[in-house]
Amino acid sequence: MVERIANLSVGGCLIQVGETLQSGSPCTFTILLDRMEPGVGVIGEVLRSADGEVVIKFTTIEPEDLFHLQNIIRYNAEDPNNIEDEINEHPGLI
């Protein structure tokens, strides 16, 4: 289990883990929040893994989970207006 996502976007994430994962490996990833059940689920692929960090590219996400993911990104962004422009230009996977 990952306690913290180091970087999150509509297209993927960077997580810190204690192991190296095989590049190209499929994975299922769930973002759990205190007030949200059951969480935001995505299917992805490991792009890179080194030095305890893993980059995951999201390949499949349900529309409802995409909506929640976009809101998580908006809420945690330093500049929500900039994020809104990026989401409008690149809405993500469906």
Side-chain angles (χ1 to χ4, degrees):
M1 177 182 284
V2 175
E3 295 293 324
R4 184 175 178 278
I5 299 171
N7 191 323
L8 177 66
S9 73
V10 175
C13 65
L14 169 67
I15 58 175
Q16 296 173 337
V17 296
E19 59 187 278
T20 301
L21 303 176
Q22 181 69 35
S23 293
S25 298
C27 62
T28 301
F29 192 81
T30 304
I31 301 169
L32 300 173
L33 300 172
D34 290 338
R35 298 181 190 149
M36 185 178 188
E37 287 293 330
V40 175
V42 297
I43 297 172
E45 174 184 334
V46 175
L47 290 183
R48 301 189 290 284
S49 181
D51 301 324
E53 293 185 334
V54 176
V55 176
I56 298 173
K57 175 185 174 184
F58 299 153
T59 57
T60 306
I61 187 168
E62 294 295 323
E64 184 176 320
D65 286 331
L66 176 60
F67 173 78
H68 291 304
L69 176 61
Q70 290 171 339
N71 283 333
I72 292 167
I73 293 167
R74 285 181 188 104
Y75 180 76
N76 289 287
E78 289 180 22
D79 183 356
N81 292 327
N82 186 33
I83 295 300
E84 193 64 35
D85 292 341
E86 288 184 31
I87 288 173
N88 288 332
E89 290 178 30
H90 308 284
L93 303 169
I94 296 182

